[in-house]
Amino acid sequence: MKFKFYKHCLLAFAFVSMAVQVCFAQIEFTEHTIAGNFDGAVSVYAADIDSDGDMDVLGAACIADDITWWENDGEQDFTEHTIAGDFDGAISVYVADIDSDGDMDVLGAANYAHDITWWKNDGEQDFTEHTIAGDFNSAISVYVADIDSDGDMDVLGAAANADDITWWESNLDPEHIWEPPHSDLPEEFIMYNAYPNPFNPTTQVRFGLPKQSILQITVLDTYGRTVATLADRAYKAGFHSVTWDAAGFPTGIYFVRLEAGGVNRIVKMTLIR
């Protein structure tokens, strides 16, 4: 009996060991270089800068003093665009819709210039620079979140020499209602980035339709599972927005998917508690 029990234990142990090996099988990665001469590359971020449904890449280079983004053509071929070529000691980059106009703006920290800066995206990926803090001694990091839960995006920064962690409150009207970028009907199905993003606990999903369409809007978790359905009905041609109230959902990354007439768009969202 003891031998049989021992044998069964060994078999059970072997089965568990095999299961663990399968679960923890090594994931292999294939290297792809986007830029091989980005002098002093020190920070990287990914976001859909041009709202075309694929992820673009942004970077900060402290020696080149550059804030740059690489446009993804959907096939992972990238075209380089310089946002700022004289951002002295560029050391951190971040992306968010700062002004709630439906497109992604860019933020940066410059270590030598002691700057926290944001560049407004006009929707055509032309950027206008705005300095948030020009004397933030050895700025080293920048981040965005709705710190005071008033519906707009505030900015945070870290300064190495000043030993400071600071946040700057946005004066965007908390009752600000998103308006479409123009009054004409869109020529094609358009999905804008969620706002605010990151968010807590509500965010707006905004889109434009060239004609009346039956639209399904779902929220997915990082495993691809549907965790919420925001809409499943017909919408008239024009610009629309729906709100996701994520109260009761855990902090993490989510994806909102819009499907209309065989067209799919996905936007990444970050829920922060």
Side-chain angles (χ1 to χ4, degrees):
M1 292 293 294
K2 288 184 179 180
F3 175 76
K4 288 184 178 180
F5 177 75
Y6 179 68
K7 182 178 179 180
H8 289 158
C9 287
L10 286 177
L11 289 172
F13 178 76
F15 177 78
V16 171
S17 298
M18 290 175 62
V20 169
Q21 289 175 16
V22 170
C23 290
F24 291 93
Q26 184 176 359
I27 300 174
E28 295 183 359
F29 293 89
T30 302
E31 180 176 325
H32 303 273
T33 299
I34 295 174
N37 57 352
F38 196 49
D39 201 9
V42 70
S43 179
V44 67
Y45 198 84
D48 186 4
I49 294 294
D50 49 5
S51 299
D52 64 351
D54 50 47
M55 296 300 282
D56 308 299
V57 176
L58 298 97
C62 62
I63 296 177
D65 302 326
D66 276 0
I67 297 291
T68 295
W69 75 285
W70 290 268
E71 180 181 356
N72 184 352
D73 69 353
E75 299 293 332
Q76 290 71 63
D77 290 323
F78 292 89
T79 302
E80 181 174 324
H81 304 275
T82 299
I83 296 173
D86 57 356
F87 196 50
D88 197 12
I91 198 167
S92 180
V93 66
Y94 198 81
V95 174
D97 185 4
I98 294 293
D99 50 3
S100 186
D101 64 351
D103 50 48
M104 298 301 277
D105 308 301
V106 176
L107 299 97
N111 189 251
Y112 301 148
H114 312 303
D115 276 359
I116 298 292
T117 295
W118 75 284
W119 291 268
K120 175 180 171 57
N121 184 352
D122 69 353
E124 299 295 331
Q125 292 72 65
D126 291 322
F127 293 89
T128 303
E129 181 174 325
H130 302 273
T131 300
I132 296 173
D135 57 355
F136 198 50
N137 196 2
S138 292
I140 197 169
S141 180
V142 66
Y143 192 79
V144 172
D146 185 5
I147 296 295
D148 48 6
S149 300
D150 65 351
D152 55 38
M153 304 304 284
D154 308 301
V155 176
L156 301 95
N161 286 351
D163 302 324
D164 277 356
I165 298 293
T166 297
W167 75 284
W168 294 270
E169 181 180 358
S170 170
N171 67 356
L172 186 67
D173 184 356
E175 301 301 321
H176 176 81
I177 299 176
W178 174 70
E179 296 180 357
H182 46 72
S183 58
D184 298 332
L185 292 179
E187 296 181 357
E188 59 182 0
F189 179 27
I190 301 173
M191 182 180 183
Y192 298 94
N193 288 288
Y195 184 86
N197 188 22
F199 69 98
N200 178 25
T202 62
T203 188
Q204 283 188 331
V205 178
R206 302 166 292 189
F207 55 94
L209 299 172
K211 61 181 180 180
Q212 180 169 319
S213 305
I214 296 176
L215 183 67
Q216 186 178 61
I217 307 175
T218 53
V219 179
L220 312 176
D221 62 15
T222 53
Y223 295 100
R225 300 174 299 196
T226 299
V227 297
T229 298
L230 306 184
D232 189 2
R233 64 178 182 85
Y235 282 85
K236 294 180 179 180
F239 296 91
H240 306 273
S241 68
V242 297
T243 299
W244 182 36
D245 186 350
F249 286 85
T251 294
I253 302 295
Y254 295 89
F255 300 90
V256 59
R257 180 173 64 194
L258 275 69
E259 300 176 82
V263 178
N264 290 272
R265 295 287 186 272
I266 294 178
V267 164
K268 175 182 172 183
M269 305 178 295
T270 303
L271 173 61
I272 299 178
R273 296 296 186 186

